[in-house]
């Protein structure tokens, strides 16, 4: 979003101080040669959950190595509405770009990943959900481990979430089902400030059109993601809640937890063997600020190294360490220590398509967002009282839907089950396109659609032995007939939505190529404007423990197939992308992983 550059230019005018993270270390050389029970690579969404849970036991020592910077007092990171300004191409971002995408007319686009404490949970748009019971039951089926089934996983939601009141304190009856939720966990979740101009129109449409029913709780916790309702977000009283502001903040004073920023992990080193398996208990790292691998430092894990570097970083580190497909490693002369052909394969992501309508009047946020003094005033208001639109997320409602039987004809249904959605709709009271700049004039309403069940699979591959050279990232967007068909149907669906009586005095037209009327025109619109919801998964995919590395990278307990002393805990292990925003699943996965690690110690 290019409105983002305006926002980030203005944030320096405001001053705000969050809680201090007292024991975070900043000089990688401080640690060289040290030994810990566990070394976690990546202080991201999942990594900090593990760090917190393992150090609940005061006898367990944990080191977390993070390449990025601190999230401390970073206004764009803390202010909910500024979420879209945290990336791309900022000090908080890895600044990746995808390779040319044939399904998108060979376009490329930025591929943000958080590079700071909290990882992508500090850089994301904060929408919070848990997926469907069918999503989790499919993980259980693929891994032959009932521990991943919904019936077991739902306990981790109780431990994880802490529902808090919305920052405007409004009555949330019918916007969330309190009896299903937890008010005592680690991460604060709340409903938005509900006074956007378009809020009543979105809600009215759910009673005007049977196709778009109202959903009283969009988290998925009631086993129903279908329908449209109020977004739940990881925020509290006008501030972002991330794995850093929650799980790390509450563990940070423990002397047995050490967190090091500016530490770029180069590779894992083989350390002999355990039970006939190659062990990888040494981690080599460098000072990320130097962008060179010398001098290199080393630390050792007594028990395990836990890779939590995310769906891009984790396969990159595995490949650099000689764990991967021989065909990927041979051209770089990296010795194959574990032949694990699925490393970096099976990548999935949710394609995101901004569909923009022109609207009458000036009730959208566009005029305000174009006005530097108005935005500056709003940021100052937020900094002093945490009120105003900067205290809110960028969207208030979202919804989920399935293709019906007619539209599924000729395809094998790729959804996790018959009640899991195929696509999503996200409603924004302004021009919200992460790639295309807002025009200089005009007022807009955006309905972003996302394909939740892509059948395309992509890849992450290194093309240099230098860890500072970004890997080739190929999400392979809209590469199959099903994917282009479904995203095209999602556009037709939101055009039906926007034609409801509720919008008759508001929406004035379809902007740009959204004006298409034929399937071919709308498919062309999709290929021209689709990018990402930033949800890569599955690049170190889980299969049953009995299966060999030819089938997948990790066992059902997340240990790396063929290796000892090495586990992966981040979204790269999910065999299928969940049919929702995946930070909730990342937290659930990490909560169970912590139990698995404690049980095996
Ligand atoms: C812009 C954006 C918006 C998003 N919006 C939403 C949303 O609204 N809702 C939602 O549910 N999800 C959203 N997501 C997705 C979600 O945030 C991620 O899927 C999730 O946080 C990933 O968690 P993870 O633990 O797998 O990886 P991450 O949280 O990305 O953690 C990986 C960590 O490892 C570190 N690392 C990587 N390589 C190295 C290395 N070599 N050495 C040391 N450290 C390393 C990284 O810096 C990072 O801190 C969004 C993501 C982005 C980028
Ligand atoms: C990403 O780009 C920003 C802005 O140019 C820069 O400050 C930052 O250092 C870059 N990050 C990386 C990892 O190169
Ligand atoms: C995309 O690039 C490929 C390979 O260069 C080429 O064959 C193809 O025609 C291109 N497609 C489009 C739509 O330009
Ligand atoms: C919230 O609204 C509901 C339904 O209108 C009402 O029953 C309830 O009393 C209200 N709660 C408060 C605290 O006002
Ligand atoms: C929304 O409410 C806030 C106060 O909570 C107020 O400042 C703002 O003007 C309201 N916005 C609209 C569009 O009504
Ligand atoms: C919106 O339009 C009204 C009526 O034309 C005008 O009074 C008001 O100043 C406008 N607001 C903005 C933010 O442009
Ligand atoms: C910009 O916002 C300020 C209030 O902060 C207002 O006084 C001014 O009229 C606005 N400018 C325009 C062009 O709408
Ligand atoms: C499926 O949806 C399409 C588009 O709304 C509609 O034309 C068709 O009649 C529907 N089929 C069934 C079986 O409901
Ligand atoms: C639809 O929009 C495109 C892009 O703005 C434009 O080129 C085209 O002429 C429009 N078509 C119609 C029928 O208005
Ligand atoms: C091994 C180690 O450093 N353990 C420390 C962990 O933290 C507790 C306090 O929470 C200390 O008592 C331990 O000595």
């Amino acid at each position: 979003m290019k409105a983002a550059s305006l926002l980030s230019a203005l944030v320096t005018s405001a001053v705000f101080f969050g809680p201090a993270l007292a024991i975070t270390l900043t000089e990688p050389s401080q640690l060289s040669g040290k030994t810990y029970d566990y070394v976690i690579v990546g202080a991201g969404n999942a990594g900090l959950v593990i760090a917190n849970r393992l150090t609940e036991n005061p006898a367990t020592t944990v080191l977390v190595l993070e390449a990025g910077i601190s999230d401390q007092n970073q206004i764009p990171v803390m202010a909910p509405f500024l979420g879209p300004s945290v990336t791309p191409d900022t000090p908080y971002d890895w600044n990746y770009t995808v390779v040319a995408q044939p399904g998108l007319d060979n376009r490329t686009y930025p591929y943000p990943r958080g590079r700071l404490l909290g990882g992508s949970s500090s850089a994301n748009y904060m929408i919070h959900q848990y997926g469907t019971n069918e999503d989790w039951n499919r993980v259980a089926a693929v891994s032959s481990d009932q521990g991943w089934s919904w019936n077991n996983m739902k306990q981790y939601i109780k431990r994880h979430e802490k529902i808090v009141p919305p920052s405007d304190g409004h009555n949330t009856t019918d916007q969330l089902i309190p009896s299903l939720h937890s008010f005592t966990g680690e991460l604060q979740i709340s409903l938005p400030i509900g006074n956007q101009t378009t809020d009543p129109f979105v809600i009215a449409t759910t009673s005007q059109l049977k196709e778009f029913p109202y959903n009283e709780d969009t988290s998925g916790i009631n086993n129903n993601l279908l329908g449209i309702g109020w977004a739940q977000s990881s925020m509290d009283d006008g501030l972002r809640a991330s794995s850093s502001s929650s799980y790390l903040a509450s563990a940070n004073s423990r002397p047995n937890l050490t967190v090091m920023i500016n530490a770029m992990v180069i590779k894992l080193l083989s350390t002999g063997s355990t039970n006939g398996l190659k062990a990888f208990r040494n981690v080599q790292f460098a000072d990320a600020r130097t962008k060179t691998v010398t001098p290199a430092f080393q630390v050792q894990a007594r028990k395990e190294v836990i890779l939590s570097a995310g769906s891009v970083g984790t396969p990159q580190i595995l490949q650099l360490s000689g764990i991967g497909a021989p065909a990927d490693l041979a051209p770089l002369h990296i010795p194959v220590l574990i032949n694990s052909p699925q490393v970096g394969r099976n990548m999935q992501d949710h394609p995101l398509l901004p569909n923009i309508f022109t609207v009458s009047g000036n009730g959208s946020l566009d005029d305000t967002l174009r006005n530097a003094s108005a935005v500056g005033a709003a940021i100052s208001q937020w900094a002093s009282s945490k009120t105003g639109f900067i205290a809110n997320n960028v969207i208030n409602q979202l919804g989920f839907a399935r293709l019906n039987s007619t539209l599924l004809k000729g395809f094998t249904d790729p959804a996790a089950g018959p009640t899991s959605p195929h696509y999503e709709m996200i409603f924004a009271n302004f021009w919200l396109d992460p790639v295309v700049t807002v025009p200089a004039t005009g007022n807009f309403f955006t309905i972003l659609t996302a394909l939740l069940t892509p059948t395309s699979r992509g890849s992450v591959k290194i093309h240099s032995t230098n860890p500072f050279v970004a890997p080739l990232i190929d999400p392979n967007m809209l590469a199959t007939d099903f994917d282009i068909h479904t995203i095209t149907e999602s556009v037709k669906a939101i055009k039906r939505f926007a034609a409801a009586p509720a919008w008759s005095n508001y929406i004035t037209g379809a902007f740009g190529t959204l004006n298409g009327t034929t399937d071919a025109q709308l498919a062309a619109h999709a290929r021209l404007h689709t990018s990402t919801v930033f949800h890569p998964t599955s690049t170190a995919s889980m299969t049953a423990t009995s299966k060999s590395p030819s089938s997948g990278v990790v066992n059902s307990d997340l240990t790396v197939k063929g290796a000892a002393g090495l586990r992966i805990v981040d979204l790269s292990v999910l065999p299928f992308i969940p049919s929702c925003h995946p930070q909730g699943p990342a937290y659930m996965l990490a909560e169970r992983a912590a139990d698995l690690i404690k049980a095996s110690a």
Side-chain angles (χ1 to χ4, degrees):
M1 174 171 85
K2 298 303 154 62
S5 19
L6 169 64
L7 297 177
S8 45
L10 287 159
V11 295
T12 45
S13 62
V15 178
F16 191 88
F17 294 103
L21 297 178
I23 60 153
T24 302
L25 302 179
T26 58
E27 301 306 315
S29 58
Q30 283 169 280
L31 294 182
S32 199
K34 299 220 159 119
T35 300
Y36 299 81
D37 291 328
Y38 297 93
V39 177
I40 299 171
V41 177
N45 192 339
L48 290 178
V49 175
I50 300 290
N52 176 312
R53 295 306 181 199
L54 294 183
T55 55
E56 284 171 346
N57 178 351
T60 302
T61 58
V62 172
L63 169 68
V64 189
L65 294 172
E66 167 58 46
I69 61 176
S70 173
D71 58 343
Q72 192 65 30
N73 296 332
Q74 302 296 322
I75 286 166
V77 175
M78 290 187 288
F81 196 88
L82 302 184
S85 75
V86 176
T87 63
D89 295 327
T90 65
Y92 316 110
D93 188 10
W94 284 88
N95 302 346
Y96 298 131
T97 301
V98 299
V99 303
Q101 297 292 290
L104 306 180
D105 305 329
N106 289 343
R107 280 187 300 118
T108 69
Y109 52 83
Y111 209 60
R113 299 278 84 208
R115 189 174 173 278
L116 71 169
L117 291 178
S120 296
S121 79
S122 294
N124 67 20
Y125 292 12
M126 307 181 306
I127 296 168
H128 200 77
Q129 307 184 283
Y130 300 111
T132 67
N133 51 344
E134 294 165 345
D135 282 320
W136 289 102
N137 292 341
R138 176 163 62 179
V139 179
V142 169
S143 66
S144 303
D145 178 353
Q146 282 307 306
W148 295 114
S149 67
W150 174 255
N151 276 344
N152 188 53
M153 291 305 290
K154 65 187 178 194
Q155 67 179 299
Y156 294 108
I157 299 174
K158 295 265 175 258
R159 203 181 282 185
H160 157 68
E161 72 172 9
K162 177 179 184 161
I163 301 288
V164 296
S167 69
D168 62 353
H170 74 267
N171 186 334
T172 60
T173 300
D174 300 336
Q175 298 185 353
L176 170 152
I177 303 171
S179 61
L180 297 169
H181 285 276
S182 165
F183 298 79
T184 56
E186 292 285 333
L187 185 81
Q188 298 89 342
I189 311 292
S190 60
L191 287 161
I193 299 174
N195 69 354
Q196 296 295 335
T197 318
T198 46
D199 291 345
F201 306 149
V202 173
I203 301 304
T205 306
T206 65
S207 52
Q208 292 173 348
L209 301 183
K210 274 209 295 291
E211 182 182 355
F212 303 101
Y214 183 68
N215 185 340
E216 201 180 325
D217 194 309
T218 60
S219 69
I221 203 169
N222 57 345
N223 292 337
N224 178 25
L225 268 187
L226 301 176
I228 288 166
W230 294 87
Q232 300 177 23
S233 296
S234 46
M235 58 184 186
D236 182 13
D237 199 17
L239 289 175
R240 172 194 294 270
S242 66
S243 67
S244 175
S245 76
S246 57
Y247 287 85
L248 176 57
S250 68
N252 203 43
S253 62
R254 296 175 187 160
N256 44 337
L257 172 61
T258 306
V259 179
M260 170 67 71
I261 57 172
N262 303 319
M264 175 77 173
V265 170
I266 301 168
K267 61 175 147 178
L268 314 176
L269 300 175
S270 177
T271 49
S273 66
T274 307
N275 301 329
L277 299 171
K278 280 202 185 68
F280 288 84
R281 291 193 174 89
N282 274 14
V283 181
Q284 198 181 63
F285 60 102
D287 190 324
R289 295 164 297 188
T290 67
K291 296 188 160 60
T292 58
V293 297
T294 49
F297 311 109
Q298 257 188 58
V299 286
Q300 174 145 8
R302 259 183 296 270
K303 292 178 175 158
E304 289 184 13
V305 170
I306 295 154
L307 266 185
S308 296
S311 295
V312 175
T314 285
Q316 180 190 23
I317 293 168
L318 290 171
Q319 290 165 349
L320 289 168
S321 309
I323 303 173
D328 295 346
L329 306 185
L332 301 170
H333 308 293
I334 297 175
V336 179
L337 299 184
I338 296 181
N339 180 342
S340 190
Q342 303 301 325
V343 170
R345 302 297 204 275
N346 303 311
M347 181 188 195
Q348 287 195 292
D349 192 10
H350 289 147
L352 178 77
L353 174 57
N355 302 290
I356 294 173
F357 295 91
T358 52
V359 301
S360 63
N362 60 10
S364 81
L365 289 171
D366 298 290
D367 286 336
T368 306
L369 294 176
R370 285 188 191 102
N371 179 338
S373 59
V375 173
I379 292 174
S380 298
Q381 180 191 341
W382 169 83
S384 59
S385 65
K386 296 202 240 91
T387 59
F389 72 90
I390 299 290
N392 197 26
N393 202 346
V394 289
I395 65 126
N396 280 0
Q397 299 87 19
L398 40 66
F400 298 82
R402 283 180 60 79
L403 297 181
N404 66 22
S405 57
T406 312
L407 296 174
L408 267 177
K409 201 161 281 167
F411 295 104
T412 304
D413 184 0
T419 66
S420 296
H422 295 112
Y423 62 89
E424 176 177 6
M425 298 155 277
I426 304 171
F427 306 97
N429 184 27
F430 62 110
W431 175 286
L432 183 58
D433 182 329
V435 177
V436 180
T437 309
V438 63
T441 58
N443 289 83
F444 304 98
F445 175 60
T446 309
I447 309 181
L448 301 118
T449 57
L451 169 60
L452 300 171
T453 56
T455 56
S456 309
R457 295 264 180 170
S459 62
V460 172
K461 276 185 205 173
I462 56 170
H463 59 131
S464 167
T465 54
N466 180 351
F468 290 97
V469 174
L472 299 173
I473 302 173
D474 180 10
N476 200 18
M477 288 289 188
L478 305 184
T480 64
D481 290 346
F482 177 84
D483 291 5
I484 191 69
H485 166 75
T486 305
I487 201 144
T488 302
E489 288 300 332
S490 78
V491 179
K492 290 156 78 176
I494 61 94
K495 290 183 101 175
R496 293 191 291 274
F497 184 92
W503 301 94
S504 60
N505 292 323
Y506 191 67
I507 288 181
T508 54
F511 184 85
T513 50
L514 184 60
N515 66 9
T517 50
T518 66
D519 282 12
Q521 285 167 335
L522 295 177
H525 161 72
R527 294 201 195 278
L528 185 60
H529 291 295
T530 292
S531 63
T532 173
V533 208
F534 326 103
H535 296 167
T537 65
S538 314
T539 51
S541 183
M542 180 191 332
T543 54
T545 302
S546 59
K547 293 197 169 161
S548 78
S550 64
S551 69
V553 180
V554 297
N555 297 311
S556 77
D557 62 358
L558 309 186
T559 54
V560 172
K561 289 177 189 282
L566 181 58
R567 214 182 286 253
I568 301 178
V569 185
D570 59 33
L571 286 183
S572 69
V573 302
L574 287 183
F576 289 90
I577 194 167
S579 50
C580 70
H581 293 260
Q583 70 165 345
Y587 283 111
M588 291 166 77
L589 174 98
E591 286 279 12
R592 176 166 191 242
D595 274 359
L596 291 170
I597 294 165
K598 287 176 179 174
S600 76

